[in-house]
Amino acid sequence: MGNIVAIVGRPNVGKSTFFNRLIKRREAIVDAVSGVTRDRHYGKSDWNGKEFSLIDTGGYVVGSDDIFEAEIDKQVELAIDEADAIIFMVDVESGITGMDQDVANLLRKVAKPVFLVVNKVDNGKRAEDAVEFYSLGLGDYFTIASINGSGTGDLLDAVVEALPETEEVEEEELPRFAVVGRPNAGKSSFINTLIGEDRYIVTDIAGTTRDSIDTKYNRFGFEFNLVDTAGIRRKAKVKEDLEFYSVMRSVRAIEHSDVCLLVVDATRGFDAQVQNIFWLAERNRKGIVILVNKWDLVEKETKTAKEFEKHIREEIAPFTDVPIVFISVLNKQRIFKAIETAVEVYKNRTKRIKTSVLNDTFLPIVERRPPPANKGKFVKIKYIMQLPTPQPQFAFFCNLPQYVKEPYKRFLENQLREHFDFNGVPVSVYMRKK
Protein backbone atom coordinates (compact mmCIF):
# COMPACT_ATOMS: atom_id res chain seq x y z
CA MET A 1 0.00 0.00 0.00
CA GLY A 2 1.21 3.50 -0.78
CA ASN A 3 2.36 6.11 1.72
CA ILE A 4 1.22 9.71 2.12
CA VAL A 5 3.59 12.53 3.08
CA ALA A 6 1.92 15.82 4.04
CA ILE A 7 3.63 19.21 3.94
CA VAL A 8 2.21 21.56 6.59
CA GLY A 9 2.95 25.04 7.83
CA ARG A 10 1.76 28.61 7.53
CA PRO A 11 1.53 30.44 4.17
CA ASN A 12 4.53 31.88 2.34
CA VAL A 13 7.23 29.64 3.76
CA GLY A 14 7.93 27.97 0.38
CA LYS A 15 5.85 24.79 0.67
CA SER A 16 4.56 24.88 -2.89
CA THR A 17 8.01 25.54 -4.35
CA PHE A 18 9.35 22.58 -2.41
CA PHE A 19 6.38 20.45 -3.49
CA ASN A 20 6.85 21.31 -7.16
CA ARG A 21 10.53 20.48 -6.96
CA LEU A 22 9.83 17.05 -5.45
CA ILE A 23 7.24 15.92 -7.94
CA LYS A 24 9.42 16.91 -10.90
CA ARG A 25 12.70 15.63 -9.50
CA ARG A 26 12.85 12.52 -11.70
CA GLU A 27 11.75 11.78 -15.25
CA ALA A 28 9.12 9.26 -14.11
CA ILE A 29 7.44 11.65 -11.69
CA VAL A 30 4.23 13.27 -12.91
CA ASP A 31 3.20 16.86 -12.59
CA ALA A 32 0.94 17.98 -9.78
CA VAL A 33 -2.79 18.25 -9.79
CA SER A 34 -3.99 21.59 -8.47
CA GLY A 35 -6.22 21.22 -5.44
CA VAL A 36 -9.88 22.11 -5.18
CA THR A 37 -9.60 25.13 -2.89
CA ARG A 38 -6.95 27.79 -2.47
CA ASP A 39 -3.49 26.42 -3.17
CA ARG A 40 -3.65 22.78 -2.12
CA HIS A 41 -1.80 20.36 -4.38
CA TYR A 42 -1.61 16.59 -4.74
CA GLY A 43 1.12 14.73 -6.56
CA LYS A 44 3.13 11.54 -6.87
CA SER A 45 6.81 11.39 -6.03
CA ASP A 46 9.51 8.88 -5.27
CA TRP A 47 12.99 8.83 -3.79
CA ASN A 48 15.54 6.02 -3.92
CA GLY A 49 12.93 3.76 -5.49
CA LYS A 50 10.28 4.33 -2.84
CA GLU A 51 7.04 5.91 -4.07
CA PHE A 52 4.76 8.10 -2.01
CA SER A 53 1.92 10.55 -2.49
CA LEU A 54 2.71 14.14 -1.60
CA ILE A 55 0.15 16.61 -0.28
CA ASP A 56 0.79 20.32 0.08
CA THR A 57 -1.89 21.41 2.56
CA GLY A 58 -1.56 25.01 1.49
CA GLY A 59 -2.39 28.00 3.61
CA TYR A 60 -5.08 30.63 3.88
CA VAL A 61 -4.65 34.35 3.74
CA VAL A 62 -7.50 35.90 5.71
CA GLY A 63 -8.06 39.05 7.69
CA SER A 64 -8.37 37.56 11.16
CA ASP A 65 -5.87 35.51 13.12
CA ASP A 66 -8.74 33.68 14.81
CA ILE A 67 -10.24 32.61 11.49
CA PHE A 68 -6.81 31.62 10.25
CA GLU A 69 -6.17 29.49 13.31
CA ALA A 70 -9.44 27.64 12.77
CA GLU A 71 -8.67 26.97 9.11
CA ILE A 72 -5.07 25.86 9.60
CA ASP A 73 -6.23 23.68 12.48
CA LYS A 74 -8.52 21.84 10.04
CA GLN A 75 -5.81 21.27 7.46
CA VAL A 76 -3.04 20.26 9.84
CA GLU A 77 -5.25 17.89 11.83
CA LEU A 78 -6.58 16.27 8.67
CA ALA A 79 -3.05 15.90 7.32
CA ILE A 80 -1.93 14.38 10.62
CA ASP A 81 -4.88 11.99 10.57
CA GLU A 82 -4.19 10.70 7.06
CA ALA A 83 -0.46 11.05 6.47
CA ASP A 84 2.23 8.49 7.25
CA ALA A 85 4.84 11.22 7.70
CA ILE A 86 4.66 14.99 8.09
CA ILE A 87 7.03 17.68 6.83
CA PHE A 88 6.61 20.87 8.88
CA MET A 89 8.12 23.79 7.00
CA VAL A 90 9.19 27.08 8.55
CA ASP A 91 11.00 30.15 7.18
CA VAL A 92 14.43 31.21 8.43
CA GLU A 93 13.90 34.76 7.13
CA SER A 94 10.92 35.50 9.38
CA GLY A 95 11.97 33.31 12.29
CA ILE A 96 9.47 31.67 14.63
CA THR A 97 5.96 33.15 14.46
CA GLY A 98 2.85 32.56 16.53
CA MET A 99 1.40 30.46 13.72
CA ASP A 100 4.51 28.27 13.71
CA GLN A 101 4.05 27.77 17.45
CA ASP A 102 0.43 26.73 16.94
CA VAL A 103 1.36 24.10 14.36
CA ALA A 104 4.25 22.86 16.50
CA ASN A 105 1.91 22.46 19.47
CA LEU A 106 -0.26 20.13 17.39
CA LEU A 107 2.67 18.16 15.99
CA ARG A 108 4.31 17.52 19.36
CA LYS A 109 1.35 15.29 20.24
CA VAL A 110 1.63 13.18 17.07
CA ALA A 111 2.89 9.60 17.14
CA LYS A 112 4.07 9.79 13.53
CA PRO A 113 7.38 10.87 11.99
CA VAL A 114 7.56 14.67 11.93
CA PHE A 115 10.36 16.43 10.04
CA LEU A 116 11.01 20.06 10.92
CA VAL A 117 12.34 21.76 7.79
CA VAL A 118 13.82 25.27 7.87
CA ASN A 119 13.53 26.73 4.39
CA LYS A 120 15.46 29.52 2.60
CA VAL A 121 18.78 28.54 4.22
CA ASP A 122 21.15 29.33 1.36
CA ASN A 123 24.24 30.62 3.21
CA GLY A 124 26.23 30.11 6.41
CA LYS A 125 24.68 33.06 8.25
CA ARG A 126 21.17 31.71 7.72
CA ALA A 127 22.31 28.26 8.83
CA GLU A 128 23.35 29.85 12.14
CA ASP A 129 20.01 31.68 12.39
CA ALA A 130 18.13 28.38 12.00
CA VAL A 131 19.29 27.26 15.46
CA GLU A 132 16.37 29.15 17.06
CA PHE A 133 13.93 26.57 15.67
CA TYR A 134 15.13 24.07 18.28
CA SER A 135 12.85 26.00 20.65
CA LEU A 136 9.78 24.59 18.83
CA GLY A 137 10.40 21.37 20.74
CA LEU A 138 10.43 19.06 17.71
CA GLY A 139 14.04 17.97 17.98
CA ASP A 140 16.56 18.15 15.15
CA TYR A 141 15.73 20.03 11.98
CA PHE A 142 16.74 19.98 8.32
CA THR A 143 17.88 23.09 6.48
CA ILE A 144 16.98 23.44 2.82
CA ALA A 145 16.59 26.02 0.07
CA SER A 146 13.57 24.87 -1.90
CA ILE A 147 14.26 27.39 -4.66
CA ASN A 148 17.41 25.51 -5.73
CA GLY A 149 16.96 22.14 -4.03
CA SER A 150 19.85 22.49 -1.59
CA GLY A 151 19.51 20.07 1.34
CA THR A 152 16.48 18.21 0.00
CA GLY A 153 18.43 14.98 -0.58
CA ASP A 154 19.28 14.47 3.09
CA LEU A 155 15.69 15.30 4.06
CA LEU A 156 14.18 12.82 1.61
CA ASP A 157 16.62 10.10 2.68
CA ALA A 158 15.27 10.48 6.22
CA VAL A 159 11.63 10.69 5.11
CA VAL A 160 11.61 7.51 3.01
CA GLU A 161 13.52 5.63 5.72
CA ALA A 162 10.80 6.56 8.22
CA LEU A 163 7.89 5.55 5.99
CA PRO A 164 6.26 2.25 6.94
CA GLU A 165 7.00 -0.70 4.70
CA THR A 166 4.28 -1.32 2.14
CA GLU A 167 2.20 -4.35 2.96
CA GLU A 168 2.07 -7.17 0.47
CA VAL A 169 -1.41 -8.62 0.65
CA GLU A 170 -1.12 -12.34 0.06
CA GLU A 171 -4.76 -13.19 0.42
CA GLU A 172 -6.98 -13.98 -2.52
CA GLU A 173 -6.10 -11.58 -5.29
CA LEU A 174 -9.50 -10.24 -6.18
CA PRO A 175 -9.70 -7.09 -8.30
CA ARG A 176 -10.25 -3.95 -6.22
CA PHE A 177 -12.75 -1.42 -7.56
CA ALA A 178 -12.67 1.92 -5.74
CA VAL A 179 -15.80 4.06 -5.89
CA VAL A 180 -14.50 7.64 -5.86
CA GLY A 181 -15.91 11.11 -6.35
CA ARG A 182 -16.71 14.31 -4.55
CA PRO A 183 -18.98 14.27 -1.46
CA ASN A 184 -22.66 13.54 -1.96
CA ALA A 185 -22.33 12.31 -5.54
CA GLY A 186 -24.04 9.00 -4.70
CA LYS A 187 -21.08 6.70 -4.02
CA SER A 188 -22.54 4.85 -1.04
CA SER A 189 -25.98 4.66 -2.66
CA PHE A 190 -24.36 3.11 -5.72
CA ILE A 191 -22.75 0.36 -3.62
CA ASN A 192 -25.95 -0.25 -1.65
CA THR A 193 -27.94 -0.60 -4.88
CA LEU A 194 -25.33 -2.90 -6.35
CA ILE A 195 -25.11 -5.32 -3.44
CA GLY A 196 -28.82 -5.11 -2.63
CA GLU A 197 -28.52 -4.13 1.01
CA ASP A 198 -27.86 -1.04 3.08
CA ARG A 199 -24.30 -1.91 3.98
CA TYR A 200 -23.43 1.78 4.23
CA ILE A 201 -25.26 4.62 5.92
CA VAL A 202 -26.72 6.77 3.15
CA THR A 203 -28.07 10.26 3.72
CA ASP A 204 -28.26 13.51 1.80
CA ILE A 205 -25.58 15.05 4.00
CA ALA A 206 -22.22 15.27 2.24
CA GLY A 207 -19.46 13.28 3.92
CA THR A 208 -21.72 10.90 5.84
CA THR A 209 -19.52 7.84 5.45
CA ARG A 210 -16.96 7.48 8.23
CA ASP A 211 -15.62 3.97 7.70
CA SER A 212 -13.89 2.69 4.60
CA ILE A 213 -14.91 -0.95 4.37
CA ASP A 214 -14.35 -3.38 1.52
CA THR A 215 -17.43 -5.16 0.23
CA LYS A 216 -16.90 -8.45 -1.54
CA TYR A 217 -19.12 -8.67 -4.60
CA ASN A 218 -19.90 -12.07 -6.06
CA ARG A 219 -22.97 -12.04 -8.29
CA PHE A 220 -23.78 -12.74 -11.92
CA GLY A 221 -20.38 -14.32 -12.49
CA PHE A 222 -18.37 -11.33 -11.24
CA GLU A 223 -16.17 -11.42 -8.14
CA PHE A 224 -14.23 -8.43 -6.83
CA ASN A 225 -13.84 -6.10 -3.83
CA LEU A 226 -15.74 -2.80 -3.79
CA VAL A 227 -14.27 0.08 -1.78
CA ASP A 228 -16.26 3.14 -0.73
CA THR A 229 -13.76 5.96 -0.31
CA ALA A 230 -15.80 8.59 1.47
CA GLY A 231 -14.05 8.46 4.82
CA ILE A 232 -12.45 6.81 7.82
CA ARG A 233 -13.34 6.95 11.48
CA ARG A 234 -13.45 10.63 12.27
CA LYS A 235 -11.24 11.92 15.05
CA ALA A 236 -13.40 13.76 17.57
CA LYS A 237 -11.44 17.00 17.32
CA VAL A 238 -11.15 17.15 13.54
CA LYS A 239 -13.06 20.16 12.24
CA GLU A 240 -13.78 18.68 8.89
CA ASP A 241 -13.14 20.36 5.56
CA LEU A 242 -15.09 17.94 3.38
CA GLU A 243 -13.45 18.79 0.08
CA PHE A 244 -9.94 18.31 1.46
CA TYR A 245 -11.02 15.25 3.42
CA SER A 246 -12.55 13.51 0.40
CA VAL A 247 -9.48 14.07 -1.76
CA MET A 248 -7.15 12.74 0.95
CA ARG A 249 -9.29 9.62 1.21
CA SER A 250 -9.31 9.28 -2.55
CA VAL A 251 -5.51 9.47 -2.70
CA ARG A 252 -5.12 6.37 -0.56
CA ALA A 253 -8.07 4.45 -2.02
CA ILE A 254 -6.95 5.10 -5.60
CA GLU A 255 -3.46 3.83 -4.83
CA HIS A 256 -4.88 0.56 -3.48
CA SER A 257 -7.26 -0.07 -6.37
CA ASP A 258 -7.13 -1.62 -9.83
CA VAL A 259 -10.09 0.28 -11.30
CA CYS A 260 -11.64 3.56 -10.13
CA LEU A 261 -15.35 4.14 -10.68
CA LEU A 262 -15.53 7.92 -10.68
CA VAL A 263 -19.07 8.93 -9.69
CA VAL A 264 -20.08 12.33 -11.08
CA ASP A 265 -23.15 14.24 -9.91
CA ALA A 266 -24.87 15.17 -13.19
CA THR A 267 -26.55 18.15 -11.55
CA ARG A 268 -23.17 19.65 -10.64
CA GLY A 269 -21.24 18.65 -13.74
CA PHE A 270 -17.64 17.58 -14.28
CA ASP A 271 -16.23 20.27 -12.03
CA ALA A 272 -12.74 21.02 -10.75
CA GLN A 273 -12.75 18.58 -7.84
CA VAL A 274 -14.01 15.71 -9.99
CA GLN A 275 -11.28 16.49 -12.50
CA ASN A 276 -8.68 16.44 -9.73
CA ILE A 277 -9.78 12.97 -8.66
CA PHE A 278 -9.78 11.80 -12.30
CA TRP A 279 -6.19 12.95 -12.77
CA LEU A 280 -5.13 11.37 -9.47
CA ALA A 281 -6.38 8.04 -10.84
CA GLU A 282 -4.73 8.61 -14.23
CA ARG A 283 -1.39 9.56 -12.71
CA ASN A 284 -1.51 6.45 -10.55
CA ARG A 285 -2.07 4.46 -13.80
CA LYS A 286 -5.39 2.97 -12.67
CA GLY A 287 -8.26 1.86 -14.83
CA ILE A 288 -11.05 4.46 -14.91
CA VAL A 289 -14.79 4.33 -15.55
CA ILE A 290 -16.78 7.58 -15.35
CA LEU A 291 -20.30 7.12 -13.97
CA VAL A 292 -22.59 10.11 -14.48
CA ASN A 293 -25.11 9.67 -11.66
CA LYS A 294 -28.47 11.41 -11.06
CA TRP A 295 -29.07 11.46 -14.81
CA ASP A 296 -32.80 11.22 -14.06
CA LEU A 297 -32.67 14.74 -12.58
CA VAL A 298 -31.26 16.38 -15.71
CA GLU A 299 -33.62 18.06 -18.16
CA LYS A 300 -32.93 16.39 -21.47
CA GLU A 301 -33.10 17.27 -25.12
CA THR A 302 -32.14 15.13 -28.10
CA LYS A 303 -28.37 15.57 -27.73
CA THR A 304 -28.05 16.22 -23.99
CA ALA A 305 -26.07 13.04 -23.24
CA LYS A 306 -23.80 13.52 -26.25
CA GLU A 307 -23.07 17.12 -25.29
CA PHE A 308 -22.37 16.13 -21.67
CA GLU A 309 -20.04 13.35 -22.80
CA LYS A 310 -18.29 15.68 -25.26
CA HIS A 311 -17.64 18.19 -22.46
CA ILE A 312 -16.12 15.50 -20.23
CA ARG A 313 -13.84 14.26 -23.00
CA GLU A 314 -12.65 17.79 -23.66
CA GLU A 315 -11.75 18.17 -19.97
CA ILE A 316 -9.85 14.88 -19.75
CA ALA A 317 -7.91 15.25 -23.02
CA PRO A 318 -5.55 13.84 -24.14
CA PHE A 319 -6.63 10.70 -22.23
CA THR A 320 -10.06 10.48 -23.83
CA ASP A 321 -10.25 6.69 -24.27
CA VAL A 322 -12.37 6.33 -21.13
CA PRO A 323 -15.83 4.74 -20.87
CA ILE A 324 -18.64 7.05 -19.70
CA VAL A 325 -21.84 5.44 -18.38
CA PHE A 326 -24.95 7.50 -17.55
CA ILE A 327 -26.68 6.01 -14.52
CA SER A 328 -29.39 6.69 -11.99
CA VAL A 329 -28.81 4.97 -8.69
CA LEU A 330 -32.24 6.06 -7.48
CA ASN A 331 -33.99 4.40 -10.43
CA LYS A 332 -31.43 1.58 -10.70
CA GLN A 333 -30.70 2.49 -14.30
CA ARG A 334 -27.59 0.97 -15.93
CA ILE A 335 -26.07 -0.08 -12.59
CA PHE A 336 -25.17 -3.51 -13.91
CA LYS A 337 -23.80 -1.89 -17.09
CA ALA A 338 -21.45 0.14 -14.87
CA ILE A 339 -20.05 -3.04 -13.31
CA GLU A 340 -19.76 -4.83 -16.65
CA THR A 341 -17.77 -1.87 -17.94
CA ALA A 342 -15.50 -1.84 -14.87
CA VAL A 343 -14.78 -5.55 -15.33
CA GLU A 344 -13.88 -4.94 -18.99
CA VAL A 345 -11.53 -2.12 -17.98
CA TYR A 346 -9.89 -4.42 -15.43
CA LYS A 347 -9.34 -7.01 -18.15
CA ASN A 348 -7.84 -4.33 -20.38
CA ARG A 349 -5.50 -3.23 -17.58
CA THR A 350 -4.22 -6.77 -16.99
CA LYS A 351 -4.01 -7.66 -20.68
CA ARG A 352 -0.74 -9.16 -21.93
CA ILE A 353 0.25 -8.86 -25.59
CA LYS A 354 2.68 -11.46 -26.94
CA THR A 355 5.97 -10.01 -28.09
CA SER A 356 5.65 -11.71 -31.48
CA VAL A 357 2.19 -10.16 -32.00
CA LEU A 358 3.47 -6.71 -30.99
CA ASN A 359 6.36 -6.87 -33.45
CA ASP A 360 4.26 -8.30 -36.27
CA THR A 361 1.78 -5.45 -35.74
CA PHE A 362 4.09 -2.52 -35.09
CA LEU A 363 7.18 -3.01 -37.20
CA PRO A 364 5.20 -2.44 -40.44
CA ILE A 365 3.51 0.61 -38.84
CA VAL A 366 6.76 2.27 -37.79
CA GLU A 367 8.32 1.41 -41.13
CA ARG A 368 5.51 3.23 -42.94
CA ARG A 369 5.57 6.12 -40.47
CA PRO A 370 8.94 6.35 -38.69
CA PRO A 371 9.77 9.04 -36.13
CA PRO A 372 10.67 12.40 -37.71
CA ALA A 373 14.37 12.93 -38.37
CA ASN A 374 16.12 15.13 -35.80
CA LYS A 375 19.34 17.05 -36.61
CA GLY A 376 19.85 14.83 -39.63
CA LYS A 377 19.58 11.68 -37.49
CA PHE A 378 17.11 8.95 -38.41
CA VAL A 379 15.50 6.84 -35.69
CA LYS A 380 14.98 3.17 -36.44
CA ILE A 381 12.66 1.19 -34.15
CA LYS A 382 13.80 -2.42 -34.18
CA TYR A 383 11.91 -4.27 -31.45
CA ILE A 384 8.84 -3.88 -29.21
CA MET A 385 7.87 -5.63 -25.99
CA GLN A 386 5.38 -5.23 -23.14
CA LEU A 387 7.01 -4.68 -19.77
CA PRO A 388 6.16 -7.00 -16.82
CA THR A 389 4.21 -4.37 -14.87
CA PRO A 390 0.69 -4.39 -13.33
CA GLN A 391 -0.50 -1.87 -15.93
CA PRO A 392 0.19 -1.62 -19.70
CA GLN A 393 3.69 -0.33 -20.35
CA PHE A 394 5.57 -0.86 -23.60
CA ALA A 395 9.23 -0.49 -24.51
CA PHE A 396 10.19 0.44 -28.07
CA PHE A 397 13.86 -0.35 -28.67
CA CYS A 398 15.63 1.90 -31.18
CA ASN A 399 19.02 3.32 -32.09
CA LEU A 400 18.41 6.93 -30.91
CA PRO A 401 15.71 7.00 -28.20
CA GLN A 402 16.63 10.54 -27.14
CA TYR A 403 15.37 11.90 -30.47
CA VAL A 404 11.83 10.49 -30.15
CA LYS A 405 9.52 13.31 -29.03
CA GLU A 406 6.17 13.24 -27.20
CA PRO A 407 3.96 13.61 -30.32
CA TYR A 408 5.37 10.40 -31.78
CA LYS A 409 4.96 8.59 -28.46
CA ARG A 410 1.30 9.65 -28.47
CA PHE A 411 1.02 8.27 -32.01
CA LEU A 412 2.38 4.93 -30.78
CA GLU A 413 -0.02 4.96 -27.83
CA ASN A 414 -2.96 5.64 -30.14
CA GLN A 415 -1.89 2.74 -32.37
CA LEU A 416 -1.73 0.46 -29.32
CA ARG A 417 -5.25 1.50 -28.37
CA GLU A 418 -6.53 1.04 -31.90
CA HIS A 419 -5.12 -2.47 -32.32
CA PHE A 420 -5.43 -3.94 -28.82
CA ASP A 421 -8.27 -2.12 -26.97
CA PHE A 422 -7.01 -0.45 -23.81
CA ASN A 423 -10.26 1.43 -23.20
CA GLY A 424 -10.26 3.03 -19.76
CA VAL A 425 -6.59 2.33 -19.04
CA PRO A 426 -3.57 4.68 -19.09
CA VAL A 427 -0.86 3.31 -21.40
CA SER A 428 2.83 4.16 -21.00
CA VAL A 429 5.28 4.19 -23.92
CA TYR A 430 9.04 4.17 -23.32
CA MET A 431 11.86 4.45 -25.83
CA ARG A 432 14.90 2.34 -25.01
CA LYS A 433 18.37 2.01 -26.51
CA LYS A 434 18.82 -1.09 -28.64
Side-chain angles (χ1 to χ4, degrees):
M1 293 185 175
N3 292 304
I4 295 177
V5 177
I7 308 171
V8 302
R10 60 184 175 80
N12 303 319
V13 296
K15 298 189 304 297
S16 295
T17 303
F18 176 67
F19 171 87
N20 288 335
R21 174 167 293 278
L22 289 199
I23 63 166
K24 297 172 184 175
R25 177 169 294 279
R26 293 176 56 178
E27 181 182 349
I29 298 172
V30 299
D31 289 340
V33 186
S34 293
V36 289
T37 56
R38 279 83 172 184
D39 58 345
R40 299 179 191 127
H41 296 87
Y42 313 88
K44 190 86 173 171
S45 185
D46 68 64
W47 185 257
N48 291 340
K50 193 161 187 174
E51 287 193 343
F52 52 92
S53 289
L54 199 65
I55 297 178
D56 171 13
T57 55
Y60 293 99
V61 179
V62 293
S64 163
D65 285 346
D66 290 337
I67 295 173
F68 178 84
E69 287 169 8
E71 294 295 350
I72 198 149
D73 181 66
K74 286 182 187 179
Q75 292 207 17
V76 173
E77 291 227 27
L78 284 169
I80 290 168
D81 195 41
E82 280 298 293
D84 299 291
I86 298 146
I87 292 173
F88 172 30
M89 187 168 287
V90 292
D91 181 355
V92 72
E93 286 184 347
S94 57
I96 297 174
T97 69
M99 295 177 190
D100 293 331
Q101 291 281 11
D102 290 340
V103 178
N105 291 339
L106 287 169
L107 294 178
R108 280 197 297 271
K109 305 169 188 174
V110 176
K112 294 181 180 181
V114 175
F115 299 89
L116 176 60
V117 177
V118 185
N119 192 23
K120 305 180 186 178
V121 180
D122 52 9
N123 59 50
K125 174 66 169 63
R126 289 187 170 184
E128 293 176 6
D129 293 342
V131 173
E132 73 165 304
F133 289 95
Y134 271 122
S135 65
L136 289 175
L138 293 170
D140 290 335
Y141 56 83
F142 291 83
T143 57
I144 70 165
S146 60
I147 195 71
N148 61 24
S150 172
T152 56
D154 291 341
L155 168 63
L156 290 176
D157 284 344
V159 169
V160 297
E161 185 178 347
L163 291 175
E165 288 300 316
T166 55
E167 300 173 12
E168 296 295 333
V169 180
E170 306 230 342
E171 301 169 2
E172 52 184 337
E173 295 186 6
L174 290 178
R176 289 174 61 84
F177 293 176
V179 184
V180 298
R182 63 175 301 145
N184 207 26
K187 300 183 296 296
S188 295
S189 297
F190 172 76
I191 293 180
N192 288 344
T193 302
L194 191 64
I195 64 178
E197 61 181 81
D198 289 338
R199 173 68 178 271
Y200 296 99
I201 298 170
V202 182
T203 74
D204 290 331
I205 302 171
T208 301
T209 305
R210 292 286 172 254
D211 295 288
S212 183
I213 306 170
D214 286 13
T215 299
K216 188 173 180 179
Y217 183 92
N218 187 355
R219 299 172 70 184
F220 309 110
F222 297 147
E223 188 173 15
F224 51 84
N225 283 322
L226 272 171
V227 186
D228 182 6
T229 60
I232 58 170
R233 286 186 302 277
R234 181 181 174 222
K235 293 280 171 57
K237 294 182 181 179
V238 172
K239 300 175 182 66
E240 193 172 31
D241 179 332
L242 287 169
E243 303 293 350
F244 184 43
Y245 192 78
S246 66
V247 174
M248 291 195 77
R249 291 307 302 151
S250 295
V251 169
R252 197 181 293 277
I254 286 168
E255 286 185 339
H256 305 166
S257 69
D258 297 299
V259 176
C260 297
L261 287 80
L262 175 56
V263 181
V264 181
D265 183 340
T267 64
R268 301 187 68 166
F270 200 71
D271 61 18
Q273 172 151 355
V274 180
Q275 292 174 39
N276 289 333
I277 297 173
F278 174 87
W279 290 115
L280 279 170
E282 190 274 340
R283 283 164 166 78
N284 277 276
R285 319 313 280 169
K286 306 300 184 181
I288 304 173
V289 179
I290 297 174
L291 305 180
V292 182
N293 187 28
K294 306 184 184 179
W295 193 240
D296 55 304
L297 301 180
V298 174
E299 291 187 15
K300 302 174 189 66
E301 297 178 1
T302 308
K303 297 183 178 179
T304 304
K306 285 186 177 179
E307 290 297 323
F308 202 102
E309 181 174 333
K310 180 184 176 184
H311 170 68
I312 291 176
R313 296 200 189 281
E314 287 172 352
E315 295 294 338
I316 64 177
F319 179 35
T320 57
D321 189 18
V322 178
I324 299 172
V325 183
F326 292 85
I327 68 171
S328 168
V329 172
L330 185 64
N331 296 335
K332 300 185 179 179
Q333 290 179 337
R334 289 180 286 278
I335 301 299
F336 188 67
K337 172 68 174 174
I339 291 303
E340 278 186 323
T341 305
V343 171
E344 286 302 313
V345 168
Y346 174 76
K347 290 177 180 177
N348 290 343
R349 187 171 185 266
T350 55
K351 184 182 297 181
R352 303 294 305 173
I353 311 297
K354 289 183 178 179
T355 301
S356 59
V357 174
L358 275 173
N359 284 275
D360 289 345
T361 303
F362 268 87
L363 290 180
I365 291 173
V366 298
E367 189 174 336
R368 289 194 302 270
R369 186 173 169 183
N374 190 308
K375 300 179 182 177
K377 307 277 188 181
F378 292 90
V379 179
K380 293 186 181 298
I381 296 174
K382 303 173 182 178
Y383 183 74
I384 306 103
M385 67 174 291
Q386 184 173 359
L387 300 176
T389 53
Q391 62 278 348
Q393 297 185 338
F394 297 87
F396 286 73
F397 293 88
C398 59
N399 58 334
L400 299 166
Q402 68 273 27
Y403 291 134
V404 181
K405 305 303 181 185
E406 284 303 317
Y408 193 78
K409 291 181 184 178
R410 283 197 294 273
F411 163 73
L412 295 176
E413 179 188 334
N414 290 336
Q415 292 297 311
L416 282 163
R417 294 185 181 281
E418 183 178 324
H419 286 86
F420 300 112
D421 184 14
F422 287 107
N423 184 230
V425 183
V427 172
S428 302
V429 171
Y430 300 102
M431 309 307 295
R432 294 287 182 263
K433 179 76 174 174
K434 175 66 174 174

